[in-house]
Amino acid sequence: MRNSIATEKSFSSAFKIKLEKDEIVRAWVKDHAVVDLNSAKKITETLLKITPDASRPVMINLGKINYITKEARDYFKDEKRKPSAPSIALIAKTTLSTFIGNFYLGLNRPKIPTRLFTDETSAIKWLKKFL
Amino acid sequence: MVEKVFVRMEKEAKIRLKKVLKVIMDYAAYNFGNRAAIGKDHDILDALAAGINMLGEELRDSTISLKEKEALVKEAHHRVKNNLQIVSSLLSLQANFVKGRDAREKFQESLDRVRSMALIHEMLYISKNLAEVNFREYLETLVKSLFTSHQLRENIQLKIDIEIQQENFDIDTAIPCGLIVNEIISNSLKHAFSNKQQGLVSLELKNIHEKKYLLSISDNGSGFPKNVHLDSDFFGLQLIQTLVEQIHGIIQFETGKKGTKYSIVFKL
């Protein structure tokens, strides 16, 4: 079931989340945030609240992320966890966020299509294929 | 002025790198309590620190998981050894109620076979390598214990010549080989010297080529009765054949008035 409201803002401990008119959910990691298990669970809950059928692609801007904990990585990797999107684009523009993004993709090997981008335009172009 | 800034930056970078190296050394020593600090600049050294921390977490998890598995395997070997000891005790008890020398001997033979297997699990339990035994050590212990259990006259001597030093054999090879040695030597000790005042049992094991080994066991006793060969209807000989097949080996058997010799070639 798609949410008919054009935009919706939601917050979790390390993320800011917003649904845009183009049906792509955008999330931002807060500056210097450490994405821990609590944040991982909250973002998943929030995404599923916005799109219960997980049909909207998600773009996550890693911004100035400080770290993602082992517990959070394991949570995202857990096969029993219900997917919250058909695809995820990660935006990384700093050395640290690029490294964290690549490391996460390499170690975790997400089950749903997930790619790392350096700019939003390319990311949105790719995500629109999943709408 | 600019130069001073660069010198200071280089000094700071070196300090940060040293701290990261210290964390790597700690992880190498399986000490996962330390973590590399990630600063606010989010530069390349921060990326390195984050990477080291993440790898350390994965390594710590794998190490714990591996240690748990090792503990389980050790425990399994311990239980198998204990169960085989129970079987030994039961056989031993049962033997007390059996009438007739022949029947008691059969029980003793079964006991020896069970003990040769239990010894492997005992060695696996105490060794660091949970899947392989030091075969030299195993053979020496096995053969000496056979000599002790058969309570021989002092003039029956044992000569062991094992050329291999540190080779480890996996359990699938060690157990059949142990049973073969047990069978052959027990047979020699029981039958080869009944008409002789003195004797010699020899065991040799050498590596003849890469993973190929030659196991030779001989005695200078009175030999098998005439016309006995490997396919003869003796349980012990049939068991030896079966075990040699199990290790994909080839056996040669010679027997006569001057003694008996078994030569077994097998490959790991």
Side-chain angles (χ1 to χ4, degrees):
Chain A
M1 185 187 78
R2 284 178 178 247
N3 194 315
S4 59
I5 299 168
T7 61
E8 181 172 315
K9 284 183 189 174
S10 294
F11 295 88
S12 68
S13 45
F15 295 89
K16 197 169 73 174
I17 300 168
K18 189 176 165 188
L19 171 62
E20 292 287 8
K21 288 179 190 175
D22 60 4
E23 295 290 317
I24 291 175
V25 179
R26 281 147 173 81
W28 294 263
V29 177
K30 293 176 184 170
D31 280 359
H32 307 295
V34 171
V35 176
D36 56 12
L37 179 60
N38 193 42
S39 313
K41 284 180 175 174
K42 279 213 161 174
I43 189 174
T44 305
E45 267 170 40
T46 310
L47 288 173
L48 285 170
K49 216 166 115 183
I50 295 172
T51 317
D53 64 354
S55 58
R56 291 187 177 104
V58 174
M59 182 167 73
I60 303 177
N61 194 324
L62 298 176
K64 289 186 181 175
I65 184 173
N66 213 41
Y67 197 67
I68 175 168
T69 66
K70 169 89 172 113
E71 291 76 21
R73 298 198 303 271
D74 286 346
Y75 176 77
F76 286 130
K77 196 165 70 174
D78 189 355
E79 287 183 8
K80 294 178 207 157
R81 187 181 69 93
K82 190 180 170 188
S84 48
S87 59
I88 296 177
L90 301 173
I91 310 290
K93 293 184 185 180
T94 68
T95 310
L96 178 57
S97 60
T98 306
F99 191 91
I100 288 176
N102 276 315
F103 202 98
Y104 171 79
L105 291 179
L107 258 182
N108 277 37
R109 295 173 197 265
K111 295 271 179 293
I112 61 165
T114 308
R115 274 177 69 171
L116 193 66
F117 295 89
T118 53
D119 66 281
E120 285 84 348
T121 313
S122 317
I124 290 169
K125 191 177 168 186
W126 180 71
L127 285 174
K128 281 189 169 169
K129 294 180 194 173
F130 296 91
L131 282 170
Chain B
M1 175 66 180
V2 170
E3 215 177 286
K4 273 188 185 172
V5 169
F6 276 122
V7 164
R8 199 188 73 232
M9 279 170 67
E10 197 186 321
K11 201 174 165 188
E12 280 169 8
K14 275 186 184 167
I15 293 170
R16 290 171 70 190
L17 268 173
K18 272 189 184 168
K19 288 181 180 174
V20 168
L21 281 173
K22 169 83 178 54
V23 172
I24 294 172
M25 292 311 293
D26 283 348
Y27 290 169
Y30 295 105
N31 172 8
F32 300 105
N34 207 356
R35 291 172 65 81
I38 299 170
K40 297 217 165 172
D41 296 331
H42 288 200
D43 58 14
I44 196 160
L45 288 176
D46 291 320
L48 177 65
I52 295 297
N53 289 342
M54 285 196 265
L55 278 174
E57 285 163 353
E58 298 301 324
L59 180 63
R60 181 197 63 202
D61 254 28
S62 305
T63 306
I64 291 170
S65 167
L66 186 65
K67 281 187 178 164
E68 281 168 357
K69 283 180 189 162
E70 276 177 3
L72 282 171
V73 171
K74 259 195 187 255
E75 182 58 26
H77 283 307
H78 185 59
R79 287 180 191 211
V80 169
K81 182 211 87 178
N82 284 350
N83 287 343
L84 288 173
Q85 274 175 347
I86 291 172
V87 170
S88 264
S89 303
L90 289 170
L91 284 170
S92 207
L93 266 171
Q94 184 78 64
N96 291 335
F97 292 90
V98 162
K99 288 181 182 158
R101 196 182 143 184
D102 246 6
R104 278 200 296 275
E105 265 182 19
K106 296 281 178 280
F107 270 91
Q108 182 62 44
E109 284 167 19
S110 296
L111 247 171
D112 286 340
R113 288 174 193 133
V114 169
R115 280 185 190 147
S116 73
M117 291 193 288
L119 179 57
I120 286 186
H121 287 281
E122 194 177 312
M123 288 177 75
L124 284 168
Y125 173 64
I126 57 176
S127 107
K128 284 184 184 174
N129 186 334
L130 300 169
E132 296 176 332
V133 287
N134 179 309
F135 202 61
R136 181 195 177 95
E137 227 177 274
Y138 170 66
L139 277 186
E140 283 175 347
T141 312
L142 173 66
V143 174
K144 282 171 188 169
S145 84
L146 281 171
F147 261 65
T148 309
S149 77
H150 284 268
Q151 292 172 324
L152 293 168
R153 306 190 295 275
E154 280 171 7
N155 50 2
I156 305 294
Q157 288 178 338
L158 168 66
K159 184 182 165 199
I160 304 178
D161 182 9
I162 302 175
E163 278 185 16
I164 62 167
Q165 293 295 327
Q166 294 303 319
E167 269 97 315
N168 291 337
F169 284 16
D170 65 59
I171 196 171
D172 289 338
T173 307
I175 285 187
C177 283
L179 286 169
I180 289 168
V181 168
N182 173 74
E183 210 56 40
I184 294 172
I185 292 193
S186 295
N187 208 47
S188 291
L189 296 177
K190 277 187 301 214
H191 305 297
F193 306 107
S194 36
N195 298 328
K196 294 204 165 190
Q197 292 302 309
Q198 54 194 18
L200 175 68
V201 175
S202 301
L203 181 146
E204 272 182 33
L205 176 63
K206 44 173 108 169
N207 182 321
I208 52 178
H209 177 66
E210 288 185 357
K211 295 275 183 187
K212 220 177 195 179
Y213 294 85
L214 169 63
L215 171 65
S216 308
I217 308 173
S218 61
D219 65 59
N220 61 354
S222 43
F224 276 81
K226 266 187 183 176
N227 303 322
V228 168
H229 46 83
L230 270 177
D231 296 323
S232 297
D233 196 17
F234 284 94
F235 173 72
L237 288 177
Q238 287 183 9
L239 179 59
I240 290 166
Q241 280 251 73
T242 305
L243 291 165
V244 168
E245 276 168 35
Q246 214 175 312
I247 55 172
H248 309 291
I250 300 168
I251 181 169
Q252 263 187 308
F253 169 72
E254 299 159 52
T255 189
K257 286 182 187 169
K258 290 191 178 173
T260 303
K261 184 175 180 180
Y262 300 78
S263 304
I264 299 159
V265 173
F266 63 97
K267 211 173 167 185
L268 286 186

